[in-house]
Every structure is written in C-alpha cells, then in structure tokens.
Amino acid sequence: MVFQVMPFTSALHSAFWPLISNKKLTELRLDESPLPALAKYANNNKEGVPATLCLEWDAFDPKLLLQSATFLAKGSVVNTNTIETFKTMDKKEFLAQEADTLWKLMLNGEAIQEPSRLCSWVLLMHADLKKYLYYYWFAFPSFELPGTLEQKANPKAVESELRLELCEHLLKSFEDWKRLNSEISGFFFVRIEESTSVKILSLAEGIKPGVKFDYIGLADPSSMDEHPGVPLRNLLTLLMIQCPEKLLGDFKVLCLRQIRHGSNPIGKSVVLSMSYSGEKLANQPRSFGWESDESGRMLPRCVNMKSSMDPQSLAESALDLNLKLMKWRLVPDLDLDLIKNTKCLLLGAGTLGCNVARCLLGWGVRSISFVDCAKVSYSNPVRQSLFTFEDCLAGSDKAKAAAHMMKKIFPGCKSAHYNLRVPMPGHAISEALEKGVLDDFNLLDRIVQEHDVIFLLMDSRESRWLPTVMGATYKKIVINAALGLDSFVVMRHGTRDSRSFQDPNAKANAFLGGKDVTYVPGHDLGCYFCTDIVAPGNSTADRTLDQQCTVTRPGVSYQAAALAVELLSSLLQHPKKAEAPAAVYSKSYQGGDSLESTGILGVVPHTIRGSLQNFQQFTPTSMLFPKCSACSEKVIEAFKDKKFDFLKRAAADKKYLEDLVGLTEMLNVEGLEEDVFTLDDDDLTD
Ligand SMILES: [Zn+2]
C-alpha cells in the first residue's frame, strides 16, 4: 500500500518577527548566509490539528526549554537583502542544496548524534523593516523513499498492539529518558524487556550492531489515524543508509502520540508494520519539500506586522485602548471616534494653547493645529508645557515648536502650525502692512473652515473678535478660554442660524419664565462679545509691561485649559452636539437634574467661571445679544459680503462696527453711555 505522511505546517509566532528584525539590524546586516535556528513541534496534536512546526521567540536561544510533548527541529533562516533576490532566487536549486546538506548529515552520521536535524527545515525570507512586511517561504526537505520499502497494512491503534499496562510503562520510560535527552528525543528505539518493563534507546544506541529493539520510534506530530507525520520519512532514509540490515524483512514503527484515548495515556499512538527488501541506500534520491501557501498554491507568503511592531502603531493602540477602557467600564455609549476625528484649531500657543493641546491628546484627538505669531521666549517653558529651554535658544516659532513637541509626545498626532497674526479691530491697517494682513486674513479664513472646533486662547480681547465672527459665519464650535490674575472664564459660543435671529425679546421671555430650570438652545447662546455694548477696540495700546506678560497664578491656566477641553468633550457627547441647550436656574432652584442639557458625559454648561480667590466655580448661561459686534446677523452678513474690506473698515474705526449693529443708536437713544461700565479685560492673558 502507498506510504503517505502528514506534512508539516509552518507556524510563525508573532514574536519571531521582531527577533529576526533585531538579528538583521545588529548581527546579520547584509549577510545572507544561513542562520541556524530552532523550531519546535509537538506530538500531542488533537484530531484535525495540523502537524505544526513553530518558530517562536526562542528561535535563536540555544537554551530553549522543551516542554513535555514538545520536540526540537534544527533548521536555518536565510534572509535575503532585497525583495528581488527573494523573488528571483532559483527555488529548485535552493532546495536541492538544502537536501544535499541533509544527505551529507545522514551519510556522515551527524544526524544520528543530532536527530533534531532530521526534522529539517529552512525558512527563506525577506524582511522589509521599514514597512514591517515579511515575505517568507518554508521548506521541509526530505527524500523520496525507494520501492523496496513497503507499508504492509493500515496503521494499527497502539492498544491493539500493546496492553494498557505496557503503554503506561512505555510513556513513563519515555518521559524519564526525555528529561535527560530532550534535544534528541524526537527519534528513538523501543525495547520491551519484560511484560512490565520498557527500555528507550537513543538513535545512537539502537543503531549499533547487535543491539536489539522491538520498535523504531518517533514523536509523531500527526493527528491522523491513517498517516504518520513527515519526520518518519527522513528517519527511514537515515536507517536505510546507516543500518539497512536492521530493517531487512519486517519491522515495526511506533508513532508515539502523547494524547489520551479512553484510559490509555498514549491511546492515539499508532503502530506501522513495514518491510524492507533493499540494500544500503547509496545514491541520493529525489528531494522535495516546499510548503504550499494557505490556499494550497506553491507560493511564498507575506505577513504585515505593522500593527504589532511599529512603535507608532503601538503608541496609537495604547492610547485608544486607554480610552476604550473608559468606554467599556464606565460610559458604554461614549463615541470615541467622534472625539478622535474632531479637527481642532488652537488660536494661541501660550499656556492655554499648550495645555489644551495636551488635554485634547489625552482624549485621543489626532488633528490639532496651532496658530501663533510669537517666538518662544525665556519666560515661556516653565509655564507653557510644550516648550523647552532649547526652543528659546533656537528662537523657535511657538506654533511650530508646539506642533513639533506634540509629534514627539505622540507621533500619531497630525499637528499643523501657522505663523500668523490674527487681524484685530481698532488696529488700523497701514498700506505698507496691508498685503501681510490680507495674507493672514485669507489663511485664517481658510483654516477656520477646515477645522471643526476653534479654540480661542489668545492674550487679548480684540484678537478673539475676527475668529468669533468667522466661527459664527461658518457654524463652527467655538470654545473660548481667558484668564485673569486668579480667575478664568471658559465658554462655548452659541451656534448661529436663522433661528438665532428671530424675535429675540419673545424668546428671552420664554426662557426666563417662572420655572426652576429653563433651557437656552445652542443657537441662542451668547458669544464672548454678546455681553458687551461697545465694540472691541485696542486694549493693548496702553498696556504696561506687566500686563503684557502672563500675570496669572500658574495653576489657573491648567484649570481653564482642562475645563475648555472637557466642555468640548461633553458637548460632542451630547445627542444634540453644538445645539445642546444650557440650563438657566431660577433663584428657587433646589438642585437636581438638568435633563435637557445632560448628555452622555453629563451636563453641558454654557459658561464656566472660576476663581482661586475663593476656589469656587459657577456655570452661568447667557443669551445671544442681537446687537453683538461679533455674532449678530448684520456682522455675519457684512463679513460674508465684504470679507477683507469688512475687516479693514472695522480695523480702521471701531465706530463702524457699532454703527453697523446699531449699538450707537441704542446708546444714543437710551442715553446709557454714562451708566455703562464694562469689565476691565486688560488683565486677560493667554
Ligand atoms: Zn455675540
């Protein structure tokens, strides 16, 4: 009958690839000569499991540990320098050389001393270390067996050959012997000495003239009742070369499988009855052994290890996992992708800008762009968490240095930087400067449109004006944070649409009705300028040096930056997003849920004001002001209509804005001017 074996299937542990990459970089470099390596296989494969030959993390460790039922297979790795060599190499010739080597080992007897060489294998591969791509092809060289060797019958279950008691003795003897001879334990001879005693002989012992045995044995990786595993093929070849007289006539092979069947601990083992009528094998038979790919084709395979080896990918998955734990354990409805994919534009890369960026990164936000026109100064690094002393020495641009540091912290961060000065009202634009201001205006106009969220984190009141106008025009989420000496304000600007400009007085009355809690919808919430009844002017004109520096208690910016980002995350996780209403509480409010303004992460306030004077925090809500100089209908229309000309006029004369929105009229008619005082914002810094 036809002698057939179950072939090996290669199994490369994911830990093998970093190992070979490291070898390539530190030892092999451009060397393409075969690198000896150690693989393992088992003889306890359950039914249906392929006979796997595994290369793992210990493939180059001479002291690798062989567990029970695990055996050694010595082979080699050939790593080509280029993908072309890997592709064009003559595969027939390559395998023929490997077979030659194996044949010589059998002839000169080295394979008797080192039987693990009989499970011969070679891994031909190319490692593309830049892309973490590994092309590979396994071969298990073995030889065609002569016709003088015959399998006489189907394999017999071991229990029909040996009594249970003997099977138990056999296993014990084998395990005792393997403990002392683990590296050579894949092949052996079995001698039944008495009815209760089994002796295991090594290949070297059993092959000697005159030594008797009952079975030729091998640790069999096959899981099939009908077929032994492939190692038997090379074992028989070796014996036909080294001691054909021991095979002459009939002989038996014990395919030892350490897997229980019923009460028999090696019950899945089989015994093969064979016969040999030939002479000493003298000429090298035909060889074969390339492994087919997953679909059974004779082709190499490729594995992409980027996700598990690229440090950048590792950092990304670690960050995402951290956030997913929050979702899995505490907030199952959290939409992490929404936060992750939100594009944030940070206007101002000072203390607020740096800390807002760090906090956004903590939420997994990937796209964080910086706008600033200053250079890193010696006073910056201690408070501005993205700069170092070296940035001062180099005179780096703040936006660029901040973006650079973000990538250093997290390479997956897509951080753009723009060195531009935000044009301001009340700062007349001279002809000489007009071209530069126009460029800044156009750039700002473009990048505001390209982002989803605009953070206003600058150090002056009027620099927030133009981005507020743009944010309202393009319906962006605008988060504003400003600092005083020991206080801060963090707020979200209301979104603007046609509903925002319908009969404001009627709405105000409705919202401020008699209930304990009422709600102002997102499109009716105020902006930073809505509480002012004068247009922003040049607040830096008469600043002293003190006022231009960061004169705040250091902790305030951390507080405000953290709240600004958390306000955004709460807003994004509210079912209505930017339209999320903010609660207004009456004096009789006793506490309790503010349901409508509560999203997945809790309440979404409009404004958060805090102070270190008394360590208190308030969340007032204010409505839009129909005559606001930054977000009212007339401003948005004028901006859409005139763009840069609108800015030029507002820059030249702050009266222009006041006239446009009707503030002048209101102030004159109502005679309020003397009674009005606005909060002094000069101590606002970034
Ligand atoms: Zn406004």
Side-chain angles (χ1 to χ4, degrees):
M1 67 179 303
V2 187
F3 176 77
Q4 274 187 323
V5 294
M6 186 184 198
F8 268 133
T9 299
S10 64
L12 283 145
H13 194 278
S14 57
F16 173 75
W17 301 115
L19 201 67
I20 188 71
S21 304
N22 190 40
K23 279 262 176 205
K24 163 91 182 153
L25 292 172
T26 58
E27 289 175 39
L28 294 176
R29 297 171 202 273
L30 295 180
D31 187 358
E32 288 186 342
S33 50
L35 185 68
L38 306 172
K40 289 180 273 191
Y41 63 96
N43 72 335
N44 59 355
N45 292 313
K46 294 209 171 68
E47 204 171 335
V49 174
T52 43
L53 185 103
C54 309
L55 269 177
E56 300 184 344
W57 54 84
D58 47 8
F60 301 109
D61 179 3
K63 285 181 270 177
L64 97 169
L65 205 64
L66 290 167
Q67 311 279 8
S68 165
T70 308
F71 302 87
L72 190 66
K74 287 190 176 171
S76 57
V77 178
V78 175
N79 186 30
T80 66
N81 285 319
T82 64
I83 183 69
E84 284 71 31
T85 316
F86 176 82
K87 279 183 184 161
T88 58
M89 180 181 285
D90 184 339
K91 305 295 188 301
K92 235 179 177 169
E93 175 59 26
F94 180 84
L95 184 64
Q97 281 180 16
E98 291 297 318
D100 276 353
T101 308
L102 178 61
W103 180 255
K104 279 177 196 142
L105 289 172
M106 290 179 174
L107 273 186
N108 66 19
E110 275 182 59
I112 301 168
Q113 305 304 323
E114 257 190 304
S116 56
R117 308 287 292 261
L118 290 176
C119 285
S120 170
W121 60 268
V122 60
L123 172 63
L124 176 66
M125 63 172 284
H126 169 69
D128 184 337
L129 298 185
K130 286 207 181 85
K131 294 186 187 148
Y132 302 95
L133 284 177
Y134 297 87
Y135 302 87
Y136 69 98
W137 203 348
F138 254 95
F140 306 100
S142 66
F143 300 103
E144 197 172 56
L145 297 175
T148 45
L149 187 79
E150 204 189 335
Q151 181 181 338
K152 294 169 66 182
N154 280 328
K156 269 203 302 194
V158 71
E159 51 206 356
S160 62
E161 176 85 14
L162 298 169
R163 284 180 295 112
L164 174 62
E165 197 189 3
L166 218 47
C167 287
E168 285 165 348
H169 281 297
L170 193 153
L171 179 61
K172 184 172 184 313
S173 303
F174 178 75
E175 287 192 320
D176 288 347
W177 174 76
K178 182 175 186 283
R179 260 190 286 280
L180 302 172
N181 302 279
S182 68
E183 285 204 9
I184 60 166
S185 60
F187 304 92
F188 49 92
F189 292 99
V190 180
R191 189 162 70 213
I192 312 291
E193 307 225 289
E194 298 159 33
S195 63
T196 56
S197 169
V198 177
K199 185 159 175 65
I200 305 293
L201 306 167
S202 70
L203 271 196
E205 289 166 335
I207 226 161
K208 284 178 191 155
V211 176
K212 293 262 183 281
F213 57 83
D214 295 289
Y215 300 94
I216 297 166
L218 78 151
D220 188 10
S222 170
S223 59
M224 299 168 83
D225 291 339
E226 323 82 76
H227 302 296
V230 67
L232 177 57
R233 190 189 283 278
N234 284 341
L235 173 63
L236 292 174
T237 306
L238 173 74
L239 298 179
M240 284 184 282
I241 296 170
Q242 291 287 342
C243 55
E245 70 283 356
K246 297 207 176 211
L247 302 183
L248 269 184
D250 294 347
F251 65 94
K252 285 181 177 175
V253 179
L254 172 70
C255 301
L256 181 67
R257 300 172 186 174
Q258 287 175 260
I259 188 155
R260 184 171 284 278
H261 183 61
S263 54
N264 193 324
I266 54 167
K268 278 289 179 182
S269 303
V270 295
V271 174
L272 234 59
S273 291
M274 304 191 75
S275 70
Y276 185 56
S277 55
E279 308 211 315
K280 180 184 169 78
L281 207 57
N283 298 318
Q284 184 179 334
R286 202 170 68 88
S287 60
F288 43 85
W290 283 113
E291 185 183 26
S292 57
D293 71 1
E294 295 90 337
S295 344
R297 297 167 305 177
M298 295 310 283
L299 287 172
R301 307 182 195 203
C302 179
V303 59
N304 185 344
M305 297 301 291
K306 188 170 169 60
S307 62
S308 58
M309 283 177 66
D310 175 16
Q312 184 172 330
S313 304
L314 289 176
E316 295 214 20
S317 49
L319 168 64
D320 290 342
L321 178 64
N322 235 336
L323 291 164
K324 276 178 190 155
L325 287 175
M326 173 158 54
K327 178 180 166 76
W328 295 334
R329 296 211 174 129
L330 302 167
V331 198
D333 295 326
L334 198 62
D335 187 347
L336 289 171
D337 283 340
L338 177 69
I339 302 183
K340 178 177 167 177
N341 296 322
T342 298
K343 293 185 185 132
C344 295
L345 180 65
L346 276 49
L347 301 179
T351 54
L352 280 171
C354 290
N355 293 333
V356 162
R358 297 287 318 233
C359 201
L360 285 172
L361 205 50
W363 266 111
V365 176
R366 300 299 205 270
S367 179
I368 302 169
S369 308
F370 295 92
V371 169
D372 208 301
C373 61
K375 295 195 182 301
V376 182
S377 76
Y378 286 101
S379 66
N380 293 154
V382 291
R383 287 195 180 203
Q384 304 185 1
S385 56
L386 292 174
F387 305 129
T388 63
F389 181 61
E390 278 73 28
D391 293 321
C392 316
L393 292 179
S396 312
D397 290 337
K398 290 180 90 167
K400 188 176 178 180
H404 179 70
M405 183 57 91
M406 290 292 279
K407 279 189 177 294
K408 264 179 116 168
I409 293 165
F410 183 68
C413 183
K414 292 187 271 297
S415 193
H417 53 88
Y418 304 96
N419 190 357
L420 78 83
R421 187 180 298 276
V422 177
M424 294 184 268
H427 295 242
I429 303 165
S430 68
E431 255 178 61
L433 293 176
E434 186 168 326
K435 173 73 175 67
V437 179
L438 175 63
D439 289 346
D440 284 346
F441 174 88
N442 285 334
L443 179 57
L444 184 66
D445 191 48
R446 175 170 67 80
I447 59 181
V448 164
Q449 293 181 65
E450 285 171 357
H451 289 77
D452 306 311
V453 180
I454 317 301
F455 279 92
L456 306 185
L457 311 167
M458 308 89 127
D459 62 355
S460 77
R461 176 175 189 75
E462 60 268 29
S463 63
R464 295 162 200 261
W465 173 77
L466 182 58
T468 300
V469 176
M470 289 175 168
T473 304
Y474 301 125
K475 305 186 193 310
K476 300 294 176 181
I477 294 174
V478 177
I479 305 282
N480 185 15
L483 310 178
L485 168 67
D486 53 11
S487 61
F488 64 84
V489 57
V490 170
M491 68 186 295
R492 56 176 167 128
H493 286 184
T495 51
R496 292 292 168 263
D497 60 26
S498 55
R499 288 170 298 172
S500 311
F501 309 120
Q502 290 162 1
D503 196 4
N505 294 325
K507 278 193 295 198
N509 290 333
F511 293 132
L512 303 172
K515 293 183 206 152
D516 280 356
V517 189
T518 50
Y519 300 96
V520 178
H523 61 261
D524 280 328
L525 290 168
C527 85
Y528 187 55
F529 295 94
C530 277
T531 47
D532 290 350
I533 52 171
V534 288
N538 187 348
S539 71
T540 53
D542 49 5
R543 274 185 166 190
T544 65
L545 182 66
D546 282 1
Q547 286 169 315
Q548 287 167 37
C549 294
T550 309
V551 280
T552 67
R553 286 173 65 169
V556 178
S557 92
Y558 291 92
Q559 275 188 296
L563 288 170
V565 172
E566 295 304 335
L567 177 61
L568 172 67
S569 61
S570 289
L571 184 68
L572 290 175
Q573 298 298 318
H574 190 283
K576 293 187 172 171
K577 308 281 181 297
E579 268 292 304
V584 181
Y585 306 99
S586 76
K587 280 186 182 143
S588 56
Y589 178 66
Q590 298 287 317
D593 289 340
S594 15
L595 285 174
E596 284 184 43
S597 71
T598 303
I600 288 162
L601 286 175
V603 167
V604 190
H606 173 228
T607 306
I608 307 152
R609 285 184 176 272
S611 166
L612 287 180
Q613 271 287 323
N614 49 16
F615 287 89
Q616 282 191 353
Q617 215 167 276
F618 305 93
T619 54
T621 298
S622 61
M623 286 197 56
L624 64 83
F625 175 40
K627 292 183 164 72
C628 174
S629 58
C631 74
S632 59
E633 195 172 15
K634 288 205 165 118
V635 170
I636 293 173
E637 288 311 315
F639 173 77
K640 277 186 186 162
D641 187 35
K642 302 195 183 74
K643 286 284 179 93
F644 187 61
D645 282 336
F646 166 72
L647 170 71
K648 262 169 69 179
R649 294 186 67 175
D653 177 13
K654 82 172 198 171
K655 277 278 169 211
Y656 164 71
L657 277 178
E658 290 173 358
D659 289 345
L660 176 73
V661 296
L663 275 172
T664 322
E665 190 188 359
M666 183 182 96
L667 291 169
N668 287 341
V669 168
E670 294 168 16
L672 280 171
E673 198 147 23
E674 292 80 29
D675 301 331
V676 166
F677 64 94
T678 53
L679 285 172
D680 184 5
D681 273 299
D682 279 4
D683 59 352
L684 291 176
T685 72
D686 67 341

